[in-house]
Amino acid sequence: MSTNELKLRAAKAFQDVCGYQATTFVQAPGRVNLIGEHTDYNDGFVMPCAINYQAVIACAKRSDGIVRLISVDYDNVQDSFAVDAPIQPTEDKLWANYMRGVVHFLKEKGYAVGGADIAITGNVPLGSGLSSSAALEVVTGQAMKALYDLDVAQSELALIGQASEHNFAGCNCGIMDQMISACGEKNHALLLDCRSLETKAVHIPENISIMIVNSNVTHSLVDGAYNALRRQCEEASRILGKVALRDATLAELNASAIEKGSDVYKRAHHVISENFRTVACADALIAGDLQKVGEYMYASHASMRDDFEITVPEIDYIVEVLTEVLGTKGGARMTGGGFGGCCVALMPADMVDQAKAAIEAKYEAKTGIKESIYICTPQDGAGQI
Ligand code: GLA
């Protein structure tokens, strides 16, 4: 579904439920991370791009200080709360918590938000590692920014989305997903320094295709596994005497008291090596060396599988099939938080049909699950439509 189709759908639901026309339309994209997994909350580097799957809002101001949220994709189910009263998470409407949190933190940071009717729809696959939740958070901030003409930077909207995810959804995520959703650039990936929030746009030439293969094994990052991994990384950095694993080297890890082969060792080994790969991969992409890019992507996958232990057999199989097809001409790896979700591959555009055919012939036959394949072009981040 295109942006315009999503917009029409949100506009219609808005009119049906509210009985008047929306004044304002905004969107925020999901993302695919090309490389740099679980490095963001270690103050490290990531290289995602925003994709042509997004969350879209139709909205209008209300003068009574009430925010009414309408979930178009769930039969127009509603949630509402008063802006001026303390805003709390709800027990039963988990989707609304991401949005409530954003309004709460906008208010807490002193932005003059007010009431609104907000109808939300989207086509980012849920629980697939493509950041449907970040898109939901960022699009909510973008809606308030547009309606109330807030002087808020896109990176600040990202931080507010992250605060919402931590405090209203219970996942202690890093900043990657919200930053790329808020600040993405068309035809570019962003090399993001998650410590300084500096970004460097890395052009993706037209003759390189980004393929996403969704294993359709869904995950929930809120279930504690993600937070547990984060704690292991923090434990490693504490033992190493560093502010964050970003500051550590493999030599320091090997010389430390952390027992080789222990979980904490393996987590740190992944993060430290992944940081190096991410920066080197960006350089290789800038130099147009797709073979090198591919080497870093394959190595990133192996590290997530063996050291970080966040892949599942279905995901490993997709990467295996893509590796057979692409060889040294491209690269593939799992993308996102892990435990299911998607793989991403970079390849010469003329290899897309071949790669697709191989996955279609083999994945379902082996796993009993039908994959979904998306060919993505990097998009601009959130904004008004
Ligand atoms: C999730 C989190 C991100 C990041 C990735 C793993 O998407 O929201 O902050 O940690 O997992 O790279």
Side-chain angles (χ1 to χ4, degrees):
M1 208 182 269
S2 68
T3 306
N4 207 36
E5 285 164 327
L6 288 168
K7 179 179 171 182
L8 290 174
R9 184 173 158 148
K12 179 174 181 313
F14 187 99
Q15 171 80 52
D16 288 350
V17 174
C18 304
Y20 68 101
Q21 274 184 9
T23 56
T24 307
F25 298 87
V26 293
Q27 66 82 29
R31 63 102 186 90
V32 65
N33 188 20
L34 301 182
I35 193 163
E37 224 62 79
H38 289 269
T39 44
D40 60 353
Y41 55 81
N42 291 295
D43 278 4
F45 294 90
V46 294
M47 189 165 57
C49 56
I51 56 177
N52 42 318
Y53 290 83
Q54 56 200 165
V56 167
I57 275 177
C59 54
K61 278 191 199 177
R62 285 172 69 119
S63 53
D64 60 0
I66 299 292
V67 173
R68 171 162 58 161
L69 306 172
I70 302 151
S71 175
V72 181
D73 303 327
Y74 292 95
D75 295 329
N76 291 346
V77 60
Q78 295 181 34
D79 178 48
S80 68
F81 56 91
V83 169
D84 289 337
I87 303 171
Q88 312 277 358
T90 65
E91 287 287 309
D92 53 336
K93 293 180 197 118
L94 297 183
W95 61 273
N97 287 344
Y98 297 96
M99 305 175 79
R100 280 178 167 241
V102 168
V103 180
H104 169 82
F105 283 105
L106 276 168
K107 204 175 90 175
E108 195 178 270
K109 294 194 175 206
Y111 294 102
V113 290
D117 280 328
I118 295 178
I120 170 102
T121 185
N123 62 353
V124 185
L126 303 182
S128 297
L130 300 178
S131 292
S132 52
S133 51
L136 188 55
E137 291 147 10
V138 173
V139 80
T140 306
Q142 199 73 43
M144 283 296 178
K145 177 174 177 171
L147 286 176
Y148 285 94
D149 207 11
L150 305 178
D151 184 16
V152 52
Q154 290 302 101
S155 56
E156 179 74 357
L157 281 187
L159 288 164
I160 286 168
Q162 185 194 30
S164 170
E165 182 120 5
H166 284 195
N167 296 285
F168 279 64
C171 182
N172 292 327
C173 64
I175 191 61
M176 163 169 73
D177 306 344
Q178 292 80 6
M179 270 297 286
I180 189 69
S181 181
C183 305
E185 281 186 37
K186 202 172 171 55
N187 300 327
H188 292 77
L190 289 191
L191 176 66
L192 167 64
D193 178 335
C194 297
R195 172 169 278 164
S196 65
L197 296 191
E198 270 168 45
T199 60
K200 178 172 171 179
V202 178
H203 184 241
I204 309 282
E206 255 174 42
N207 59 359
I208 296 183
S209 288
I210 303 173
M211 178 185 282
I212 298 174
V213 182
N214 189 343
S215 68
N216 286 320
V217 176
T218 53
H219 68 190
S220 165
L221 292 182
V222 189
D223 69 5
Y226 182 94
N227 293 348
L229 287 163
R230 182 170 182 160
R231 280 195 301 275
Q232 288 173 326
C233 292
E234 284 160 2
E235 166 78 354
S237 118
R238 191 186 57 77
I239 298 172
L240 289 167
K242 303 289 182 185
V243 173
L245 281 180
R246 144 79 172 271
D247 303 309
T249 63
L250 286 180
E252 286 170 327
L253 174 64
N254 287 327
S256 76
I258 301 173
E259 191 190 333
K260 286 213 179 64
S262 65
D263 284 351
V264 171
Y265 177 90
K266 287 196 287 185
R267 307 304 179 244
H269 193 273
H270 164 75
V271 171
I272 297 169
S273 61
E274 182 81 348
N275 257 333
F276 165 81
R277 281 188 290 272
T278 303
V279 175
C281 187
D283 287 343
L285 199 52
I286 291 165
D289 188 344
L290 198 49
Q291 177 172 345
K292 268 248 157 59
V293 169
E295 284 167 15
Y296 292 124
M297 290 178 79
Y298 295 135
S300 168
H301 185 79
S303 179
M304 289 189 286
R305 184 189 59 213
D306 302 336
D307 279 344
F308 222 64
E309 299 179 290
I310 51 170
T311 68
V312 295
E314 292 87 350
I315 287 282
D316 290 335
Y317 186 63
I318 290 170
V319 170
E320 193 184 311
V321 172
L322 289 170
T323 307
E324 273 166 27
V325 177
L326 300 175
T328 57
K329 298 198 174 112
R333 58 185 286 281
M334 188 204 82
T335 183
F339 312 106
C342 292
C343 297
V344 61
L346 288 185
M347 65 192 77
D350 60 10
M351 290 190 81
V352 164
D353 290 346
Q354 209 183 326
K356 237 176 126 181
I359 295 289
E360 283 166 356
K362 293 183 170 175
Y363 179 70
E364 190 180 5
K366 171 101 171 177
T367 64
I369 306 168
K370 179 75 186 139
E371 76 287 342
S372 315
I373 298 180
Y374 324 109
I375 306 298
C376 284
T377 48
Q379 300 296 315
D380 280 329
Q384 245 172 292
I385 308 173

